[in-house]
Amino acid sequence: MKAEYNPKEIEKAVQEEWLKEDKFKATPDNREKFYCLSMFPYPSGKLHMGHVRNYTIGDVISRYKRMRNFNVFQPMGWDAFGLPAENAAIANKVSPKDWTNENIEYMKKQLASLGLSYDWSKELRTCEPEYYKWEQVIFKRFHDQGLVYRKKSFVNWDPIDETVLANEQVIDGKGWRSGAQIEIKEIDQWFIKITDYADELLESLDEVDWPENVKVMQRNWIGKSNGAEIKYLIEESDEYLTVFSTRPDTIFGVSFLAISPNHSISLKLAETDSSINKFLDRCKETKAAEADMAKAEKLGIDTGISAIHPLTGKKIPVWIGNFVLLDYGTGVVMGVPGHDQRDFEFASKYQMEILQVISTDEEGLPVLQKGSLINSGNFNGMTSENASEKIVAELKDKDLGEELVQFRLRDWGVSRQRYWGCPIPVVYENGEPRVLDESEMPVTLPELPANSAPIPLSQNKDFINHLRKLEKRN
Ligand code: ANZ
């Protein structure tokens, strides 16, 4: 035996032996089973050190369990759909499928050379119809349970990559990969109703054994807020603007209402008012991650509309504010500059009244903590908590408000990739969407002619004809 360990020689020989004997293929027997699955890698081309670390950890666990006589099943697969394959395909004039499969073969060799003990007989590639059929089946079953719905919503549109981007993929108003100026578009999208489970998700965090900082991040992401919906009558109309507020105790300090630039009233006004139109254009450049919005300069424009304060009857000006999110609460905010930093900056900039209605030990304005009420009519002297309750009760009596719980968690939008993604199993019959039957699945991606760049599915004639046939069958 040689004194020196030569990995290239020894490992290669041993790995060949493993392969010959199908060493890691899992077959059921009487032993206790152990299933070990690490996250599938994206087949980007080559493994990096992060992969090596990640997959070594899974493999160490599998080997340990094997040595303890468990019947271990450790499979591997590829998270193989996604835009990078399409971009590479366009740049290199290969099909996304060939590009992906070539990368997989290369990375598989690399994984093998690390000696990781996978059962390759069960390998999955998420771009294969045998796999994504089940995504379509799950979509259908969610739909049948009322957990999938379609709604118009605003998205970040990257005109170069011709795709929708998540807020986190927009950096300073530009696409993270293409660098293109992002456009805000309103399009129909499918959503999965994960918000139905918000409370359950939040409560079950108490039961999982995770580091506390991770749990805090999760709680913030779910973002439960207890507050109230409060209605302000729009002057000279019978319509209301409804705000969501977590601080009804500050209602006597309201100096303005602010609506989102994407609110239907803003859009309507922009049709006839050129300065509002210009303002909305300016706001379009800044839709991005919420965290960026919080830092951005607060900008607004007066709509000229007034609303009536539900308790004092005072006229309150309605502004459009770039800091108001359309898809949180009601898309309308009551501005209380004496007690909210953002409202304070806004009111200072546009010279609006700043009234203190909560008194604490804090000096100067804004006073952010809760305390006792001042300048608030019958509610003076009450604590914030007590006053909030009483104020909401009075609003409820007048049919102008009620308690409301809001979550920051949004329903999950499943906009697909241009071409290289799982087709959503829906056809349109007389303009109405029909989710396909499980017997009609999988709806497969059309093959691309050799050397042609992938085009969006909606423009692919083969695919459209295929769907037409499905429509006729019913
Ligand atoms: C008046 C008020 C006074 C508020 C005050 C806060 C402090 P969280 O806790 O994150 O749920 N808000 C409501 N909808 C909004 C939207 N679509 N875009 C931006 N801001 C929105 O925050 C709830 C508070 O965020 C709400 O309570 C509202 O401002 C604002 F001293 O109402 B508050």
Side-chain angles (χ1 to χ4, degrees):
M1 200 170 127
K2 282 185 203 161
E4 205 177 306
Y5 178 71
N6 181 342
K8 278 207 173 127
E9 230 171 69
I10 297 171
E11 297 197 4
K12 190 162 176 271
V14 174
Q15 284 163 14
E16 275 167 14
E17 208 53 34
W18 287 343
L19 205 63
K20 235 191 286 166
E21 291 181 23
D22 250 348
K23 254 312 201 216
F24 306 112
K25 186 166 174 175
T27 37
D29 59 22
N30 299 331
R31 287 175 302 160
E32 198 175 332
K33 292 176 193 145
F34 186 78
Y35 174 50
C36 184
L37 179 71
S38 299
M39 168 171 79
F40 289 173
Y42 178 75
S44 51
K46 290 193 174 72
L47 292 188
H48 52 66
M49 283 316 288
H51 289 122
V52 174
R53 183 173 76 159
N54 193 37
Y55 298 118
T56 302
I57 294 170
D59 198 55
V60 166
I61 296 169
S62 292
R63 285 176 184 273
Y64 169 76
K65 287 289 186 182
R66 245 180 239 122
M67 287 157 103
R68 308 283 305 226
N69 202 33
F70 281 81
N71 185 358
V72 174
F73 174 38
Q74 185 182 218
M76 190 29 87
W78 306 91
D79 176 11
F81 269 142
L83 200 59
E86 228 172 295
N87 289 342
I90 293 167
N92 306 322
K93 295 220 164 67
V94 288
S95 79
K97 188 172 173 178
D98 291 345
W99 184 83
T100 303
N101 285 331
E102 275 163 30
N103 286 350
I104 289 177
E105 293 313 325
Y106 189 83
M107 291 168 79
K108 234 171 124 167
K109 274 203 203 108
Q110 292 185 303
L111 283 178
S113 75
L114 288 168
L116 304 179
S117 57
Y118 296 126
D119 177 353
W120 283 110
S121 70
K122 312 284 192 316
E123 178 187 353
L124 290 177
R125 299 183 182 191
T126 61
C127 58
E128 295 295 339
E130 297 77 43
Y131 178 88
Y132 65 68
K133 171 187 173 171
W134 297 104
E135 294 184 30
Q136 296 175 342
V137 168
I138 290 170
F139 184 91
K140 159 86 174 153
R141 293 192 188 170
F142 278 173
H143 182 265
D144 291 351
Q145 294 298 318
L147 290 172
V148 161
Y149 66 98
R150 194 164 164 78
K151 129 181 138 179
K152 268 202 177 3
S153 75
F154 289 95
V155 296
N156 301 302
W157 179 255
D158 183 324
I160 291 190
D161 275 349
E162 291 186 62
T163 190
V164 170
L165 297 182
N167 286 346
E168 290 72 12
Q169 295 170 325
V170 180
I171 296 157
D172 293 334
K174 301 203 165 60
W176 67 323
R177 281 178 185 279
S178 69
Q181 183 68 48
I182 295 307
E183 298 163 12
I184 308 298
K185 269 197 182 180
E186 193 181 26
I187 57 175
D188 270 320
Q189 296 217 98
W190 290 100
F191 287 89
I192 298 181
K193 242 183 174 176
I194 56 174
T195 50
D196 271 14
Y197 299 88
D199 258 325
E200 209 176 317
L201 280 171
L202 192 63
E203 281 160 21
S204 49
L205 275 176
D206 295 335
E207 289 157 31
V208 290
D209 181 19
W210 289 351
E212 195 48 40
N213 62 331
V214 175
K215 288 195 192 187
V216 168
M217 281 193 282
Q218 290 280 325
R219 282 194 194 100
N220 290 343
W221 181 256
I222 298 167
K224 184 173 184 171
S225 286
N226 294 304
E229 256 188 358
I230 303 172
K231 287 158 86 176
Y232 288 75
L233 183 68
I234 298 176
E235 202 189 22
E236 289 164 16
S237 89
D238 50 8
E239 283 178 48
Y240 291 90
L241 272 174
T242 305
V243 308
F244 170 67
S245 174
T246 46
R247 294 290 306 274
D249 56 316
T250 63
I251 195 166
F252 285 84
V254 171
S255 338
F256 63 93
L257 298 188
I259 62 178
S260 159
N262 295 318
H263 193 281
S264 54
I265 294 183
S266 313
L267 300 177
K268 185 114 214 296
L269 290 171
E271 284 171 14
T272 49
D273 184 324
S274 65
S275 49
I276 289 185
N277 194 18
K278 233 191 247 155
F279 178 75
L280 299 195
D281 276 346
R282 196 166 163 204
C283 293
K284 277 186 192 153
E285 292 163 17
T286 55
K287 180 186 185 223
E290 222 180 294
D292 294 339
M293 264 176 96
K295 281 182 271 156
E297 190 192 354
K298 315 288 169 290
L299 298 173
I301 187 165
D302 192 350
T303 62
I305 298 172
S306 295
I308 309 297
H309 191 289
L311 296 184
T312 65
K314 220 164 87 176
K315 273 197 212 175
I316 310 283
V318 178
W319 284 59
I320 302 173
N322 69 340
F323 57 87
V324 187
L325 305 162
L326 180 72
D327 58 0
Y328 186 65
T330 57
V332 188
V333 175
M334 63 181 209
V336 185
H339 302 283
D340 180 274
Q341 183 61 39
R342 195 181 50 189
D343 298 346
F344 182 81
E345 287 170 32
F346 194 75
S348 307
K349 177 164 181 166
Y350 296 108
Q351 285 141 30
M352 288 187 242
E353 188 185 14
I354 301 177
L355 186 65
Q356 183 172 0
V357 293
I358 305 288
S359 148
T360 67
D361 300 337
E362 279 175 89
E363 282 185 15
L365 287 174
V367 169
L368 302 180
Q369 285 163 18
K370 293 184 174 171
S372 57
L373 272 70
I374 53 173
N375 297 322
S376 299
N378 295 340
F379 303 92
N380 282 341
M382 288 186 193
T383 61
S384 285
E385 285 79 10
N386 195 7
S388 279
E389 228 171 80
K390 297 262 159 48
I391 286 170
V392 174
E394 182 165 336
L395 290 168
K396 208 167 175 177
D397 276 348
K398 296 184 165 179
D399 227 358
L400 291 174
E402 60 186 337
E403 276 171 14
L404 188 78
V405 177
Q406 278 293 313
F407 289 94
R408 214 148 263 281
L409 185 75
R410 297 276 80 105
D411 278 337
W412 177 23
V414 282
S415 39
R416 50 175 315 289
Q417 306 287 343
R418 290 156 35 104
Y419 165 76
W420 193 234
C422 172
I424 293 176
V426 175
V427 290
Y428 291 82
E429 291 165 347
N430 305 321
E432 283 300 307
R434 177 176 74 82
V435 179
L436 295 175
D437 224 53
E438 286 183 29
S439 62
E440 296 166 294
M441 294 175 192
V443 184
T444 54
L445 272 183
E447 293 284 337
L448 292 172
N451 298 334
S452 70
I455 50 167
L457 262 195
S458 56
Q459 295 164 26
N460 187 307
K461 287 206 183 75
D462 282 350
F463 188 69
I464 301 295
N465 288 338
H466 170 65
L467 291 187
R468 294 252 156 80
K469 271 184 228 141
L470 286 175
E471 283 163 24
K472 279 200 196 106
R473 246 182 28 205
N474 284 274

